[in-house]
């Protein structure tokens, strides 16, 4: 039996993303695989500045939860 293949938003988990607009617990914007996504910091105490590379920990609806 083959391993499960992740598709859709689930396939983005674990991807690298570029912070476009400051990301914190309230929100922000990142670019994932060429697409711009709304984002929030996975760790609510983090503030991620534009230009930083982060990892997509989870997708909740149309928002990526990211972590540096």
């Amino acid at each position: 039996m083959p391993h499960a293949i992740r598709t859709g938003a689930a396939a983005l988990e674990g991807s690298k993303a570029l912070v476009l607009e400051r990301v914190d617990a309230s929100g922000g914007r990142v670019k994932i695989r060429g697409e711009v996504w709304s984002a929030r910091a996975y760790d609510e105490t983090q503030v991620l500045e534009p230009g930083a590379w982060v990892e997509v920990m989870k997708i909740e609806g149309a928002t990526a939860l990211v972590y540096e």
Side-chain angles (χ1 to χ4, degrees):
M1 187 97 177
H3 291 279
I5 297 173
R6 295 187 308 171
T7 61
L12 298 176
E13 293 176 4
S15 296
K16 292 290 183 187
L18 177 63
V19 177
L20 299 176
E21 295 176 11
R22 182 181 175 143
V23 175
D24 57 23
S26 300
R29 295 252 186 232
V30 296
K31 184 180 275 192
I32 309 167
R33 297 185 186 168
E35 294 183 339
V36 177
W37 281 72
S38 296
R40 285 195 329 263
Y42 184 76
D43 175 351
E44 295 180 356
T45 64
Q46 277 193 323
V47 176
L48 309 164
E49 297 297 337
W53 285 95
V54 295
E55 183 175 345
V56 178
M57 300 298 290
K58 186 176 181 182
I59 301 290
E60 287 186 348
T63 302
L65 300 180
V66 298
Y67 187 83
E68 187 173 42

